[in-house]
Amino acid sequence: FFRYTQFLKDFLETAEQNYFVGFRVHYYVFTDQPEQVPAVKLGAEHNLTVLKVATSNRWQEITLSRMEKLQKLIETRLVNEADYVFSLDVDTKFYGRWGVESLGRLVGVLHPGYYQTSREQYPYERRPESQAFISYGEGDYYYGGAVIGGLVKDVYEVAKSCREQLDIDAAKSIEAAWQEESHLNKYFLYNKPSKVLSPEYLWQDFKPHTNEVKIIRFSQVIKNYAAVRPNP
């Protein structure tokens, strides 16, 4: 979306070096600027499909629509094409091997900003009127919304449930604190992931390396948000 196509080249080239190398992989890229998608040489049995979507004036609306797009992609294509699916943010790059160790029925990743904090400090949606509401004293972890994965049928249930909750909120003019990430955390509160990946699978380039996280496999790149998002 918007100027996020500038991240695609690094994303795809580093994915080709690290992401399920030797396996059949199909990338689906959602963008309102398909002409900006770079040509990247893909390995054997690796394919890329570009899906054009409507543009928006608010980046929040884009992230809010993520679950709907994932649900429809599974319904129309993946249900007959794939065993597993990962939904990944594109303003990221791969720094290390990402393989079958990441697979599970339902996969979440610990958010790199909150894996060391107490749950009282998690940025859950705290307003009871939102479907994403999680009260103080509840919650296991804070999961990053930039990585959602698992078996196609289980990820479908995540996407469908979160989209329904988002629609209920929207009808009441409520936008959760962190859009779809807030609803994902609410879903995972009652539908535990079968596999929880460490922050090595979702780091942030501006964060220094720590003693706990020895290897960075996938990380969000440093960017000027004012330059890539049309609104604050």
Side-chain angles (χ1 to χ4, degrees):
F1 285 96
F2 304 114
R3 303 165 190 90
Y4 273 69
T5 48
Q6 68 183 280
F7 304 118
L8 263 174
K9 189 171 189 293
D10 273 354
F11 176 91
L12 291 169
E13 287 182 347
T14 59
E16 281 299 289
Q17 296 162 11
N18 296 287
Y19 184 71
F20 288 105
V21 174
F23 291 82
R24 188 161 54 91
V25 173
H26 198 137
Y27 304 102
Y28 288 91
V29 175
F30 293 91
T31 179
D32 60 344
Q33 298 177 324
E35 69 282 355
Q36 298 294 322
V37 175
V40 173
K41 182 174 172 54
L42 302 178
E45 293 196 280
H46 283 208
N47 296 285
L48 185 147
T49 298
V50 178
L51 300 174
K52 190 176 190 320
V53 294
T55 191
S56 173
N57 292 323
R58 298 180 68 243
W59 67 264
Q60 292 93 338
E61 289 173 2
I62 295 167
T63 188
L64 284 164
S65 67
R66 177 196 196 112
M67 294 298 185
E68 179 185 7
K69 290 178 174 58
L70 182 56
Q71 178 186 350
K72 288 182 177 177
L73 177 65
I74 292 173
E75 288 174 348
T76 58
R77 296 171 181 256
L78 301 190
V79 68
N80 298 314
E81 291 181 10
D83 298 312
Y84 293 91
V85 58
F86 276 93
S87 171
L88 305 173
D89 278 4
V90 74
D91 54 340
T92 48
K93 60 192 295 187
F94 293 85
Y95 290 102
R97 188 184 66 84
W98 179 318
V100 295
E101 77 288 343
S102 67
L103 296 178
R105 178 184 57 80
L106 184 57
V107 181
V109 62
L110 298 183
H111 193 292
Y114 298 98
Y115 74 97
Q116 293 175 307
T117 61
S118 67
R119 65 182 175 186
E120 284 71 31
Q121 295 174 288
Y122 294 162
Y124 291 147
E125 173 53 62
R126 301 298 190 181
R127 293 170 295 172
E129 56 267 35
S130 172
Q131 296 296 307
F133 169 67
I134 298 177
S135 66
Y136 288 97
E138 283 192 300
D140 304 309
Y141 306 109
Y142 189 77
Y143 300 93
V147 176
I148 311 166
L151 290 170
V152 167
K153 64 181 180 65
D154 290 276
V155 175
Y156 178 76
E157 291 303 321
V158 177
K160 181 172 180 288
S161 177
C162 288
R163 184 194 60 78
E164 290 170 351
Q165 303 306 308
L166 284 156
D167 286 349
I168 293 170
D169 270 12
K172 296 187 289 185
S173 298
I174 296 171
E175 185 176 290
W178 290 101
Q179 293 82 40
E180 94 293 347
E181 185 175 82
S182 298
H183 289 272
L184 176 69
N185 273 276
K186 178 63 173 284
Y187 184 90
F188 279 165
L189 178 59
Y190 296 105
N191 305 271
K192 306 298 187 191
S194 63
K195 179 167 288 187
V196 178
L197 300 178
S198 89
E200 68 195 85
Y201 289 88
L202 181 60
W203 200 247
Q204 294 163 320
D205 279 358
F206 64 81
K207 285 176 67 69
H209 287 202
T210 66
N211 291 329
E212 306 84 31
V213 182
K214 306 294 186 185
I215 300 170
I216 305 302
R217 302 182 188 276
F218 187 60
S219 186
Q220 295 177 313
V221 301
I222 296 170
K223 54 195 167 292
N224 178 354
Y225 283 106
V228 298
R229 289 176 173 176
N231 63 290

